[in-house]
Amino acid sequence: MFSYCISDRHRLRLLEAHHAAELFALADANRDHLRNWLPWLDLTRTPADSLAFIQSGLRQFADGRGFIAGIWIDDKLAGIVGHHPIDWSSRTAAIGYCLAESHQGQGFVTASCRAVIDHAFNTLELNKVVIRCAPLNGRSRAIPERLGFVHEGTLREAEQLYGRYIDLAVYGCLRREWDGGTLT
Ligand SMILES: CC(C)(COP(=O)(O)OP(=O)(O)OC[C@H]1O[C@@H](n2cnc3c(N)ncnc32)[C@H](O)[C@@H]1OP(=O)(O)O)[C@@H](O)C(=O)NCCC(=O)NCCS
């Protein structure tokens, strides 16, 4: 129901319970692609697991700690973008994203992030937005770099990915630095 239009082809919608089957189908069809960098694929075995993820995002939204949206391209669910729970004491949000392999390379996630970051700074009035990604995840790193974020450092062995620990590069942008992410 809640939706934000980025272009004729591209829209963000709050993920709701009735999207669970479509979300599971997206994860299942992109399991190998997403499993390279995201830790939750082995925990996503049935549509009920996708429903639980959506419900946890809706609780986060109801608690005023940010939202999880689907990325719809040509009326098909193709990805996810949203906040990790906002830290209001520091007015900081980390954002995360993923996209179907078949839709990569067309700027959809960069544009989705730009909309989420605009909203974070201009509507929620946060002071900082952070993006964390594995140093070897070139496609993911390119997004904050394209949006003009500063590489602030690398956290060592900060995430567990299927039995191994991986580093996370941290990119940050302050409200006073945000110019709409017009770098392309
Ligand atoms: C990370 C991920 C979302 C990046 O997807 P992506 O398609 O590369 O990112 P975008 O949708 O922003 O597209 C950028 C690409 O579109 C191109 N592009 C075309 N038009 C563009 C535009 N108007 N604006 C920006 N980029 C554009 C860019 O040049 C870039 O292509 P290139 O890498 O071949 O140079 C995707 O690879 C993914 O889901 N990976 C697995 C999960 C994952 O790693 N999640 C992140 C964990 S931190």
Side-chain angles (χ1 to χ4, degrees):
M1 178 174 178
F2 298 103
S3 117
Y4 179 80
C5 181
I6 294 179
S7 75
D8 287 352
R9 299 184 56 200
H10 180 190
R11 178 176 290 274
L12 304 184
R13 285 199 188 102
L14 191 68
L15 279 171
E16 297 183 64
H18 64 94
H19 298 131
E22 201 177 354
L23 182 61
F24 178 74
L26 171 69
D28 206 34
N30 286 276
R31 201 167 277 282
D32 293 343
H33 159 62
L34 299 175
R35 199 175 181 280
N36 287 325
W37 301 114
L38 295 173
W40 43 262
L41 273 301
D42 290 0
L43 302 173
T44 306
R45 296 186 200 95
T46 69
D49 299 319
S50 298
L51 177 61
F53 169 77
I54 290 171
Q55 285 170 331
S56 130
L58 290 172
R59 277 194 297 276
Q60 177 184 322
F61 182 57
D63 290 345
R65 301 197 69 196
F67 60 79
I68 312 285
I71 302 172
W72 266 265
I73 300 165
D74 299 327
D75 290 325
K76 191 170 160 48
L77 181 61
I80 306 172
V81 64
H83 305 107
H84 296 281
I86 294 171
D87 177 356
W88 283 104
S89 62
S90 61
R91 300 193 84 87
T92 297
I95 61 174
Y97 41 74
C98 66
L99 186 72
E101 192 169 12
S102 56
H103 286 79
Q104 291 182 125
Q106 299 171 72
F108 289 119
V109 176
T110 301
S112 301
C113 287
R114 192 179 284 122
V116 170
I117 297 162
D118 267 337
H119 176 264
F121 287 134
N122 299 327
T123 303
L124 300 178
E125 300 188 348
L126 299 184
N127 184 54
K128 184 169 184 175
V129 175
V130 169
I131 293 176
R132 293 187 286 258
C133 40
L136 294 179
N137 190 351
R139 278 194 170 274
S140 186
R141 290 189 73 154
I143 291 168
E145 289 171 1
R146 203 177 282 124
L147 291 169
F149 279 44
V150 174
H151 179 218
E152 299 185 340
T154 300
L155 301 171
R156 297 180 306 150
E157 300 195 1
E159 184 175 281
Q160 203 180 147
L161 200 58
Y162 310 105
R164 67 195 166 98
Y165 293 102
I166 61 165
D167 295 348
L168 288 179
V170 180
Y171 288 86
C173 180
L174 303 178
R175 188 178 180 194
R176 64 176 174 274
E177 296 168 340
W178 179 244
D179 62 359
T182 47
L183 299 176
T184 53

